[in-house]
Amino acid sequence: LLRYGIPEFKMEKAHLDRRIDQMRGEGTVFVTGADIGGSCGAGADELRSRCDAVVVAIGAGERRELPVPGRSLHGIHQAMDYLTCANRVREGDYAESPVTADGRHVVIVGGGDTGSDCLGTALRQGAVSVLQLDINPEPGPGRSDDEPWPVYPRTYRISHAHEEARGHAGRDPRLFARATLRFEGDAAGRVRALRLTAVEPVGRSPLAGTEDVIPAGLVLLALGFSGPERAGGLREQLALELDERGNFARDAGFAAGGGRAPGVFVAGDAGRGQSLVVWAIAEGRAAAAAVDRYLTGSTCLPAPVAAHDRPMTALGRMRYGL
């Protein structure tokens, strides 16, 4: 994810390379190209037979879809597929990206960080125009009364990509409180336009008389993730269960399925759902302590959180050096 999901202009890969070299020097063995339980790589049963403990930390890669008319038209892609292709060009894996914004009107559906990364990438690829649609209303400049400290407030922010876009087009590239109604295509089956509507701040119901059509030669869906990927045999082979939110079930000690799969643990977004990097760091440390305790009967490793803890406060992040 760090190498292929985040653009170079946002995180230089030299930092990643340095950390990987450090971890390798400390004894970590990296096995790449291994889809455990899938078509390439060892089966999960074989992995369990060779290892005393297995930690499942595959993230939350199940992408949310946009089930509206015209979704099957050519030129509509998931944001992470688009970003991965662009980053593979940067890494020298591809001579050119099979999905490019060059010479196209680009529409990004989704107002989060992934959408911002798509925005910066599309500008660098030579897009004619870029619009980012956010279904949420435009936030105010300050913290609202229902977001008391230390809750992370939803305020109006400008990312580096938004600054670049404003310099390119002279305005904020975002349209707030907008929802997609359908996509329209040409005779060749390629997307050419997106029909949208303004929505109410509460309930997101369409507002009558606000429909509009905008040109779109490339549409990128940046709608977030709904949990760990379901494809492949990892879940079945490790006897992983899903909780009510669609994540891998675990107990407060990170044991998968409440301990019904001895020696199997779940950490990070795979168990928590799409979240922040500070949670990935904290859960990695806590899961390591849980594995140490399982293997040896005790641990001296720090365990900053339990798997069922509430969202970490700013004070908690400072306490654990996050």
Side-chain angles (χ1 to χ4, degrees):
L1 178 63
L2 293 175
R3 186 172 300 281
Y4 291 113
I6 299 176
E8 173 79 15
F9 61 80
K10 187 174 182 180
M11 190 194 79
E12 296 175 345
K13 305 311 173 188
H15 302 298
L16 175 60
D17 293 335
R18 182 178 63 186
R19 180 52 60 91
I20 290 175
D21 288 342
Q22 174 187 331
M23 294 175 68
R24 185 177 284 117
E26 292 171 343
T28 304
V29 177
F30 294 95
V31 181
T32 59
D35 180 15
I36 302 300
S39 58
C40 58
D45 293 336
E46 178 186 347
L47 191 68
R48 289 192 68 184
S49 69
R50 295 186 353 229
C51 304
D52 295 309
V54 175
V55 179
V56 179
I58 64 172
E62 191 74 13
R63 296 113 184 243
R64 290 196 175 97
E65 260 297 343
L66 185 61
V68 299
R71 170 61 182 90
S72 61
L73 291 167
H74 296 296
I76 304 174
H77 301 272
Q78 285 283 351
M80 287 305 300
D81 293 338
Y82 168 72
L83 291 174
T84 297
C85 289
N87 285 322
R88 285 194 176 278
V89 173
R90 291 285 308 182
E91 290 290 312
D93 300 338
Y94 296 162
E96 59 183 24
S97 175
V99 182
T100 180
D102 185 28
R104 301 189 185 280
H105 295 285
V106 179
V107 179
I108 302 163
V109 183
D113 289 341
T114 300
S116 176
D117 292 345
C118 290
L119 173 61
T121 301
L123 292 174
R124 285 163 174 76
Q125 289 182 338
V128 175
S129 66
V130 188
L131 279 177
Q132 185 177 6
L133 307 182
D134 191 334
I135 198 170
N136 298 299
E138 181 175 332
R143 184 188 296 272
S144 63
D145 293 337
D146 60 351
E147 295 175 323
W149 188 92
V151 173
Y152 188 70
R154 179 174 173 80
T155 58
Y156 184 81
R157 296 180 178 87
I158 298 291
S159 73
H160 52 86
H162 297 139
E163 290 179 354
E164 292 175 6
R166 287 205 298 189
H168 182 78
R171 58 176 176 78
D172 192 319
R174 291 171 290 183
L175 292 178
F176 291 96
R178 297 295 195 281
T180 303
L181 294 175
R182 65 178 180 271
F183 300 110
E184 299 176 357
D186 58 20
R190 183 173 182 88
V191 66
R192 65 172 183 83
L194 181 152
R195 184 172 291 273
L196 54 77
T197 179
V199 295
E200 295 178 349
V202 179
R204 309 293 191 265
S205 299
L207 292 171
T210 63
E211 288 190 19
D212 195 8
V213 178
I214 56 176
L218 175 65
V219 177
L220 304 173
L221 305 181
L223 300 170
F225 305 88
S226 60
E229 291 182 274
R230 313 290 194 267
L234 177 68
R235 175 187 164 194
E236 291 76 14
Q237 292 179 22
L238 288 180
L240 297 171
E241 302 172 359
L242 297 180
D243 62 19
E244 66 279 0
R245 296 188 300 146
N247 304 315
F248 290 150
R250 65 213 180 142
D251 63 19
F254 298 90
R260 286 185 288 277
V264 180
F265 299 83
V266 176
D269 287 7
R272 173 171 293 277
Q274 180 183 352
S275 189
L276 303 174
V277 68
V278 291
W279 271 115
I281 296 170
E283 288 213 1
R285 292 175 176 173
V291 171
D292 190 30
R293 188 178 298 108
Y294 169 77
L295 295 175
T296 68
S298 63
T299 185
C300 61
L301 297 176
V305 297
H308 297 159
D309 275 355
R310 292 173 295 176
M312 191 180 299
T313 65
L315 182 61
R317 290 194 293 270
M318 289 188 290
R319 177 181 177 187
Y320 295 112
L322 302 179

